[in-house]
Amino acid sequence: MSTIPHAPDLDDAPVVEVRGASVSLGGRPILRRVDLMVRPGEFVALMGANGSGKSTLVRTMTGLHPVVAGEVRVFGTPLERFHERQRLGFVPQRSGVGGGVPASVWEVVASGRLTRRRRLRPFRAADRAAIRDALEVVGLSHRLRDGVSTLSGGQQQRVLIARALAGEPELLFLDEPTAGVDLPNQIALAEALEVLKQRGATIVLVAHELGPLAPLVDRAVVMRDGRVAYDGPPLADHEVHNPLFGEIHTHHHPEAESVKPHRPQVASPLDPRDHPEAGR
């Protein structure tokens, strides 16, 4: 059974913070003085249109893109000095999950234990229990011996989530987990994340649209042109993509007072490429 802590008090210190973060890629500004905060136990949906900066923000929070100004803190520690990687989980979009290698579901999920065990050490009982629990959470215990390449796209996405869960993270980031996934698998993903939420995990989800995940969201953060345009109660998908919504905040019109001020949110340095077996 997972050791993710049970639901904490949301008044606790932030799990992750972004303070005045700016990011440039190829000399072009992508994020512009972003402030964001996520507290323990929150389920935050980071939303916005393609090109709004939401994916760049998540990659910045996971350490894949360096800031040119501002800072990112994880569990109170500056990101560049944070070394407790086992406390963080990152689920990328599913492209390349099999990596062309005939890896089984068990093998891919087991690679998520690398942050919890020393290299070349055999699996302990705790490792095997965490792997089994992760597979049960995503509903794939019956497929553990199957090759990942034999699974549907939605099932492969669930394998990626199980791999992250096997490390028993306290903070979990997911990059558009429902993109290109059929409705039954979206529902299965929502059920898995509901279990994690009930266990008290802190979750940051990047999404273009929420679909079945909508009831789980505690707070929505909407990006527009590399800035936070909204940070507050959950929004319906059609509200997120209203073109006037971002303009109000970005241009500081008087009506912007009706939009709740954004709070800081943060992430972690986990790249699946860091794991030797992640692409198997």
Side-chain angles (χ1 to χ4, degrees), residues 203-228:
I203 300 171
V204 178
L205 168 80
V206 177
H208 186 69
E209 295 182 342
L210 292 173
L213 300 176
L216 303 177
V217 175
D218 298 313
R219 187 171 128 229
V221 174
V222 181
M223 298 292 294
R224 289 286 189 275
D225 299 321
R227 298 181 176 91
V228 175

Side-chain angles (χ1 to χ4, degrees), residues 20-100:
S22 295
V23 172
S24 295
L25 299 178
R28 184 167 64 94
I30 304 297
L31 298 183
R32 311 164 192 269
R33 298 181 180 179
V34 172
D35 292 322
L36 196 59
M37 178 184 294
V38 179
R39 296 191 180 279
E42 281 192 298
F43 191 124
V44 177
L46 184 58
M47 307 184 72
N50 291 336
S52 63
K54 63 184 186 297
S55 292
T56 299
L57 178 55
V58 163
R59 287 183 167 269
T60 300
M61 292 189 293
T62 56
L64 297 178
H65 292 325
V67 297
V68 297
E71 71 170 346
V72 177
R73 287 178 171 263
V74 181
F75 296 104
T77 302
L79 186 58
E80 64 273 15
R81 299 207 307 265
F82 185 79
H83 303 298
E84 299 177 277
R85 296 165 62 86
Q86 72 279 5
R87 302 179 71 182
L88 310 171
F90 176 57
V91 180
Q93 294 188 39
R94 75 173 186 274
S95 59
V97 61

Side-chain angles (χ1 to χ4, degrees), residues 18-223:
V18 177
R19 300 178 178 177
S22 295
V23 172
S24 295
L25 299 178
R28 184 167 64 94
I30 304 297
L31 298 183
R32 311 164 192 269
R33 298 181 180 179
V34 172
D35 292 322
L36 196 59
M37 178 184 294
V38 179
R39 296 191 180 279
E42 281 192 298
F43 191 124
V44 177
L46 184 58
M47 307 184 72
N50 291 336
S52 63
K54 63 184 186 297
S55 292
T56 299
L57 178 55
V58 163
R59 287 183 167 269
T60 300
M61 292 189 293
T62 56
L64 297 178
H65 292 325
V67 297
V68 297
E71 71 170 346
V72 177
R73 287 178 171 263
V74 181
F75 296 104
T77 302
L79 186 58
E80 64 273 15
R81 299 207 307 265
F82 185 79
H83 303 298
E84 299 177 277
R85 296 165 62 86
Q86 72 279 5
R87 302 179 71 182
L88 310 171
F90 176 57
V91 180
Q93 294 188 39
R94 75 173 186 274
S95 59
V97 61
V101 178
S104 69
V105 170
W106 173 273
E107 289 171 325
V108 172
V109 175
S111 72
R113 290 298 293 180
L114 291 179
T115 59
R116 290 280 181 181
R117 51 190 281 266
R118 295 179 180 178
R119 291 183 180 276
L120 305 180
R121 291 293 181 89
F123 281 117
R124 301 167 301 167
D127 296 318
R128 296 182 181 281
I131 294 167
R132 286 194 300 270
D133 181 63
L135 285 166
E136 289 174 5
V137 168
V138 302
L140 289 175
S141 295
H142 63 297
R143 303 296 301 271
L144 80 168
R145 299 187 186 280
D146 294 346
V148 174
S149 61
T150 68
L151 304 184
S152 69
Q155 290 170 328
Q156 289 182 8
Q157 186 63 61
R158 286 153 61 189
V159 170
L160 288 178
I161 292 177
R163 182 178 68 185
L165 299 185
E168 300 177 296
E170 298 170 48
L171 172 62
L172 179 65
F173 294 92
L174 302 101
D175 188 3
E176 302 210 40
T178 59
V181 174
D182 60 20
L183 184 58
N185 275 294
Q186 289 185 35
I187 293 172
L189 287 169
E191 291 173 346
L193 294 180
E194 182 176 16
V195 171
L196 298 183
K197 181 176 180 177
Q198 291 173 348
R199 293 179 179 181
T202 304
I203 300 171
V204 178
L205 168 80
V206 177
H208 186 69
E209 295 182 342
L210 292 173
L213 300 176
L216 303 177
V217 175
D218 298 313
R219 187 171 128 229
V221 174
V222 181
M223 298 292 294

